[in-house]
């Protein structure tokens, strides 16, 4: 019987998962097993052309095995599309730092991280940083975290402030750009410049402050190249600060919008 095991062709006479594990590596005592995209601990049947991943728990797999595992979890066709994508995250604050981490876990093949600032204590209430990140450039801190999640992602860092002079050139090789700035003027500059002078798709955000209802944060398709996440209303002001739950919900909307764009899943 011919199957695909950890991303490679494999011939076996085994009909059950436990027998296959023993044949593949008799020394494996505690394995994660995924068959056709679904993880299972059961001794399931193996069939012709099944795609199986066997990864020993607690051990970093080789690149091919790691990608086979991601492919199985995401489903192969999805992962192949995601792996080829080139996505920029402009601003690595509450939105951008969390967006970058989610896209890394999704397996986006190339991430372009842009921010001019350093990590400071007030960031810790909602941004994806830790005490030992303090004083690091945000680009360096996020890159370090991503490498701990998936060391095979290509990461490009630009520790620079985006302005009218560098905007177009900075994002010229990116297919999708996530706008994640705090400053409204910077948001408008980035979106307007990229819509007017490039062909990239843009996922922006507006309205995620405070602790209003979670379901008021939505994703809207404004045009074929522009998508907007948030409630569109709730801004940060005195008595209505930026807090982790709603900021993270909006960041997740942006990351999921990127995934849907990559997979051509958005409705007209």
């Amino acid at each position: 019987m011919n199957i695909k095991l950890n991303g490679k062709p494999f011939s076996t006479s085994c009909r059950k998962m436990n027998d296959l594990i023993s044949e593949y590596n008799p020394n494996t005592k505690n394995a994660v097993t995924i068959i056709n995209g679904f993880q299972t601990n059961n001794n399931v049947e193996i069939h012709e052309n099944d795609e199986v991943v066997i990864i020993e728990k607690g051990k970093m797999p080789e690149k091919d095995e790691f990608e086979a595992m991601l492919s199985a979890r995401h489903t192969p066709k999805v992962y192949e599309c995601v792996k080829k994508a080139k996505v920029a995250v402009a601003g690595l604050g509450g939105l951008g730092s969390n967006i970058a981490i989610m896209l890394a876990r999704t397996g986006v093949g190339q991430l372009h991280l842009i921010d001019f600032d350093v990590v400071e204590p007030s960031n810790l209430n909602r941004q994806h940083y830790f005490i030992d990140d303090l004083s690091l450039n945000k680009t360096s801190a996020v890159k370090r975290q991503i490498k701990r999640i998936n060391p095979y992602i290509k990461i490009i860092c630009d520790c620079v402030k985006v302005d009218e002079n560098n905007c177009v050139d900075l994002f010229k090789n990116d297919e999708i750009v996530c706008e994640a700035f705090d400053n409204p003027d910077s948001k408008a500059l980035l979106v307007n410049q990229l819509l007017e002078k490039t062909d990239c798709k843009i996922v922006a955000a507006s309205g995620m402050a405070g602790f209003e209802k979670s379901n008021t944060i939505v994703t809207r398709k404004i045009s074929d190249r522009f998508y907007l996440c948030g409630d569109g209303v709730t801004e940060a002001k005195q008595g209505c600060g930026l807090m982790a739950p709603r900021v993270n919900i909006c960041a997740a909307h942006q990351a999921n919008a990127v995934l849907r764009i990559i997979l051509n899943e958005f409705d007209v």
Side-chain angles (χ1 to χ4, degrees), residues 190-238:
L190 178 68
V191 171
N192 290 335
Q193 288 281 313
L194 295 184
L195 285 177
E196 291 174 9
K197 300 178 181 179
T198 75
D199 295 324
C200 70
K201 292 181 170 63
I202 306 160
V203 180
S206 177
M208 76 293 301
F211 41 87
E212 300 297 325
K213 293 179 180 178
S214 300
N215 291 343
T216 58
I217 293 177
V218 296
T219 300
R220 290 176 290 156
K221 182 178 180 179
I222 308 301
S223 71
D224 286 341
R225 292 178 46 224
F226 184 42
Y227 306 79
L228 187 62
C229 304
D231 64 22
V233 177
T234 313
E235 62 180 345
K237 58 185 179 181
Q238 189 171 357

Side-chain angles (χ1 to χ4, degrees), residues 7-68:
K8 299 177 181 178
F10 190 83
S11 296
T12 181
S13 59
C14 298
R15 297 290 176 177
K16 291 282 190 175
M17 181 65 78
N18 289 350
D19 294 331
L20 180 63
I21 294 172
S22 297
E23 179 183 10
Y24 175 65
N25 186 350
N27 297 319
T28 299
K29 298 179 180 179
N30 194 10
V32 175
T33 53
I34 303 168
I35 181 166
N36 299 327
F38 295 93
Q39 185 171 333
T40 179
N41 295 321
N42 298 326
N43 189 24
V44 297
E45 290 188 6
I46 307 296
H47 301 99
E48 186 80 18
N49 297 321
D50 278 347
E51 296 194 15
V52 181
V53 177
I54 300 172
I55 301 293
E56 189 171 350
K57 286 185 178 180
K59 180 181 177 182
M60 181 61 191
E62 298 294 330
K63 182 178 181 180
D64 288 348
E65 295 176 332
F66 189 79
E67 291 200 335

